[in-house]
Amino acid sequence: MILHGYWRSGTSYRTRIALNLKGLTYDQVGVDLRQGAQRSAAYLALNPQGLVPALEVDGQVLTQSPAILEWLEETCPEPPLLPVDTGARAQVRAMAALIGCDIHPLNNLRALKALRQDFGADQAATDAWAGHWVHAGFAALEALVARHGDGWAWGDAPTLADCYLIPQIYSARRFNVSLEAYPRLLAIETAAEAHPAFIAAHPDRQPDAD
C-alpha cells in the first residue's frame, strides 16, 4: 500500500489511524498542499479531484477518506471499527459524519484559503469561523459520547468515530478553539495519546512533517 497524503491533513490523519488500527503496513508519499503539489499532473493522474488522501493498493487508487475507511473495514475486518449491531453501526457512522461532513469541510485548507482570499478574513476571523463550526459539532458529539461511549466515542474500543475525532481535536487546537466544555472528548484524546496506532499517526511523526 502507498498512502499519498499531507502530514497535517485531517483526512490523511484519519486514514493513517485506521490503517494503523488494522495493523497494516504502508509506505507514504507526501503531497505538500501548501506548494500546490495536489494540482500537479502526476498527482491528478492518481486523483483527478486533486485532494488527499489517495491510497494505491492492488493496482487501484482509492480516494475520499470515508470510502477508504469503509473499504478497510470490508477487506480487513479485524479488529472491527464498527459494531456488530446494525443500529449501532449506523450510530457510529453518524458520529463520524458529524465530523467529516459538518465540521471538517468548513475548516480545511481550501475553505480557509477562500475566506482569506475572497473575503479578506484575517487569522482572528478564520479562527472564529473554525471555532463556530467546531463548537456546534462538538457539543452534539459530547452528548452522543455521553450516551454511547465507554472510554472511546462508542463503547470501550476505538471505532471509525475516533478515527475522525482525534484529527478534528488536533485541528481545533491549531485554531485556538477552547475545548474545556467537552470533557468526554478530551478523555478520548487522552486515551488516544497512549494508544500506539494513534501515536504513530500523529502529524508530527510523519516523514513529510515540518
Side-chain angles (χ1 to χ4, degrees):
M1 292 186 184
I2 302 174
L3 178 64
H4 300 261
Y6 175 58
W7 64 284
R8 207 161 56 184
S9 153
T11 53
S12 300
Y13 191 175
R14 71 176 68 135
T15 303
R16 293 193 301 266
I17 293 170
L19 286 164
N20 294 346
L21 286 169
K22 295 292 187 180
L24 299 171
T25 300
Y26 56 97
D27 295 325
Q28 292 197 64
V29 175
V31 181
D32 194 332
L33 304 184
R34 297 165 300 183
Q35 302 299 319
Q38 72 276 21
R39 295 188 295 273
S40 70
Y43 189 71
L44 289 174
L46 284 174
N47 183 1
Q49 194 177 11
L51 299 176
V52 293
L55 183 67
E56 287 190 81
V57 57
D58 296 334
Q60 60 183 332
V61 180
L62 307 178
T63 62
Q64 286 289 347
S65 62
I68 294 173
L69 269 60
E70 290 282 353
W71 176 86
L72 286 170
E73 186 70 358
E74 292 173 357
T75 59
C76 306
E78 295 298 331
L81 299 181
L82 286 169
V84 174
D85 177 76
T86 56
R89 292 166 78 90
Q91 291 281 358
V92 170
R93 286 185 170 111
M95 295 167 84
L98 187 158
I99 297 167
C101 299
D102 298 332
I103 303 177
H104 174 263
L106 293 163
N107 60 46
N108 69 12
L109 184 62
R110 291 191 303 164
L112 298 181
K113 185 176 181 180
L115 283 175
R116 296 185 184 104
Q117 292 185 349
D118 299 342
F119 300 99
D122 59 12
Q123 188 61 50
T126 56
D127 285 356
W129 167 269
H132 173 83
W133 301 110
V134 169
H135 285 306
F138 275 13
L141 195 59
E142 178 80 5
L144 290 171
V145 172
R147 294 179 191 175
H148 305 299
D150 183 16
W152 295 92
W154 181 282
D156 60 359
T159 66
L160 288 183
D162 303 290
C163 295
Y164 281 75
L165 173 61
I166 295 304
Q168 191 57 65
I169 291 177
Y170 172 84
S171 179
R173 294 193 185 284
R174 286 184 55 221
F175 297 114
N176 302 305
V177 179
S178 174
L179 301 177
E180 286 76 9
Y182 316 112
R184 292 177 178 84
L185 305 189
L186 293 178
I188 296 170
E189 181 187 37
T190 298
E193 288 172 346
H195 193 297
F198 290 84
I199 293 170
H202 193 280
D204 291 348
R205 290 176 172 262
Q206 305 318 302
D208 59 327
D210 288 346

